[in-house]
Each structure stands twice: as structure tokens, then as C-alpha cells.
Amino acid sequence: QITGGIQAVQDTILQKDHRLSKAMVHCGSLHVTLLVMHLSSKEEVSTAVGALSDSKDLVEDLLKGKTVDLSFRGIDHFRNEVGFVKLAESDHTAVLTEVAGTIKKIFQEKGILAGGDRAFKPHLTFMKLSKSPKLHKEVKKIDPSLYEKFKCHYFGDEILHRLDLCSMLKKKQPNGYYYCESSIILGEKQAAEPDDAELLSLSKRLVENAVLKAVQQYLEETQNKNKQADGSPVKTEEAASGSKHENENGSS
């Protein structure tokens, strides 16, 4: 919903001034920046990956199991050179500001200069003149009247669920999003780490399936022996081996 709304804004602007096509941000790249840093070596990237990983527990402690619902409404600009969708002020944006502050502190404790002294202002950038230096020489300012009818438009809500450490220089992913050095998922267990209850339930199902298969095989073998004893034809070797194969698959 948010992406579709932003594409509508971009299309409306381009109908009025097609030169700005070079200033448009691909909708696959849409994100809210928490902080920016300069990592000049693989070692520093590795340190940053570790800092992001360390921040997971602290951020989740901060959230206390509650979701952060981010509502995007209206359009604003920076110096008429950057156009962005605004994040509506709420208790949830206050929590996001706390999250950004927590992560910034962790990165700085690891020796990574991140964020600077600039105030945190979460937003979704959808166009910026700096994307094209050639265009910027020709178009000094973006005319606000180009997106006037969207000034108070409600774009949609998004739940905060993932934090990414992205590279601005490496080749982007096929969907247009940034190359991710690392990510953390908030509010859920890692899929590779089932809890004790899940493991117990899985074990019980495996045992029950194995027992059922064993009983079924025993009954079939007993029935075949009885048929063989009174002259009835027995199962063919192919059918018998098929039953055995099925049993092995079922209990593996």
C-alpha cells in the first residue's frame, strides 16, 4: 500500500516534469534510516555486524514484546532538494527514536562513529536531486506544487520487524533493495532454533509414526504368513519391497 502510494506520487510528478525521473528513488529501496556510518575495511564491517547482532536483545528488551506500528502520512522536503513521506508523530515514533538511540550507542561503544550529532528524523525518501549531479545543475530546487495534492495523503502503516546493515556502495539486490551485510528480526525466534516444546512435539510425532508403521508392517507380514499357510498367493517381491521402502521413509 505504501509503495503503491509513493509510485503514484512519483508518476504525478513526472507527468509535470519528466526531467526529475533521474531523481526518483526505486520503490524497492524504500527504507527508514536509523543511522549512517563509514566503514572503511572488512574488519570494520565485521565489527558493525557484531554490533547489530548485540543490539537485538537490547532492542527487544526496550520493546517489551510490543509492536511498533509506523504510520506514514503526508509529504515534506529538505531544502527543496529531497522529497520524502513523513512518519506521523505518535508514541510508536517515540519508541523508534529510542531504538535508534540504543543502536547508535552500541555502535559507538564498538568504536564505530555513527550518526553524528544530527537529530533523528525518520522518513521515506522517494526523490533527491543528488542522485544525478547533471540533473542538479539543471534543476536547483524541486517545486513543491508538483506534489501538492499529496501533502496530507495517508500512505499506510508498517510494523517494525527487521533491522538491516546495508551497503550504499555494493550492487543492489534484484528487487532494488540494498545489499545487506547483516539483518536482525525483531519479535520472533530464529527459525533454526525451535524451543523445547516444539522439539518434544516433533519427537512424539516421529515416534508415533514409527510405531504405527511397525504395527502395520507386522500385521501385513502376519496376514501374508497365514495366507501362505492355507495356500493363498503371497505379496509379490516388488510390492513387499515397496512397503519396506515406504516404512523406511516414514520413520526416518
Side-chain angles (χ1 to χ4, degrees):
Q1 180 185 353
I2 296 169
T3 300
I6 288 176
Q7 286 176 324
V9 174
Q10 292 175 326
D11 290 344
T12 300
I13 292 171
L14 292 180
Q15 285 171 10
K16 298 175 181 178
D17 190 344
H18 191 69
R19 296 176 302 170
L20 293 172
S21 61
K22 293 177 181 177
M24 294 303 172
V25 173
H26 189 288
C27 280
S29 300
L30 292 174
H31 65 281
V32 174
T33 300
L34 295 187
L35 67 161
V36 178
M37 70 209 75
H38 176 67
L39 305 175
S40 59
S41 66
K42 289 182 179 180
E43 289 73 21
E44 288 188 356
V45 171
S46 179
T47 300
V49 168
L52 181 64
S53 179
D54 290 349
S55 70
K56 178 177 169 67
D57 287 344
L58 287 172
V59 170
E60 291 191 330
D61 286 346
L62 183 66
L63 299 181
K64 297 181 176 66
K66 296 177 182 176
T67 58
V68 179
D69 187 1
L70 305 175
S71 185
F72 294 91
R73 184 186 298 274
I75 289 179
D76 204 349
H77 63 85
F78 293 130
R79 301 182 304 279
N80 283 316
E81 296 177 7
V82 176
F84 61 87
V85 172
K86 296 190 292 185
L87 192 57
E89 288 290 335
S90 70
D91 293 343
H92 293 268
T93 50
V95 173
L96 183 65
T97 301
E98 284 189 69
V99 168
T102 298
I103 292 176
K104 180 179 178 179
K105 183 180 178 183
I106 292 170
F107 273 70
Q108 289 179 338
E109 286 174 351
K110 295 274 189 178
I112 296 172
L113 295 176
D117 298 325
R118 189 179 298 176
F120 177 59
K121 185 172 182 178
H123 59 276
L124 284 179
T125 298
F126 65 85
M127 67 182 299
K128 52 184 177 181
L129 293 176
S130 62
K131 274 181 62 68
S132 172
K134 185 178 179 181
L135 172 68
H136 206 172
K137 287 181 181 178
E138 184 180 350
V139 181
K140 300 298 182 183
K141 300 289 181 183
I142 300 167
D143 184 353
S145 66
L146 294 173
Y147 51 79
E148 184 64 34
K149 73 174 188 177
F150 294 97
K151 285 283 286 183
C152 299
H153 180 76
Y154 168 66
F155 287 88
D157 284 21
E158 181 66 85
I159 301 294
L160 173 67
H161 71 282
R162 197 180 82 229
L163 301 177
D164 300 324
L165 178 66
C166 298
S167 169
M168 288 188 278
L169 301 179
K170 292 184 179 178
K171 185 179 178 181
K172 289 186 176 181
Q173 300 178 38
N175 65 359
Y177 192 61
Y178 296 92
Y179 177 90
C180 285
E181 298 288 353
S182 180
S183 300
I184 58 173
I185 306 295
L186 300 174
E188 65 184 43
K189 289 178 175 290
Q190 296 293 332
E193 299 177 1
D195 60 23
D196 292 344
E198 289 173 327
L199 288 172
L200 184 60
S201 176
L202 177 62
S203 298
K204 286 175 68 176
R205 288 200 304 274
L206 287 171
V207 171
E208 287 168 358
N209 288 340
V211 170
L212 284 172
K213 289 289 185 181
V215 170
Q216 184 180 11
Q217 186 179 21
Y218 171 76
L219 291 174
E220 287 177 353
E221 289 175 351
T222 303
Q223 193 175 26
N224 284 338
K225 286 179 182 177
N226 291 339
K227 286 182 179 180
Q228 194 172 14
D230 57 18
S232 300
V234 298
K235 288 204 296 190
T236 64
E237 184 177 332
E238 182 181 352
S241 65
S243 174
K244 180 182 177 186
H245 181 68
E246 180 186 345
N247 177 55
E248 289 172 351
N249 284 343
S251 60
S252 61

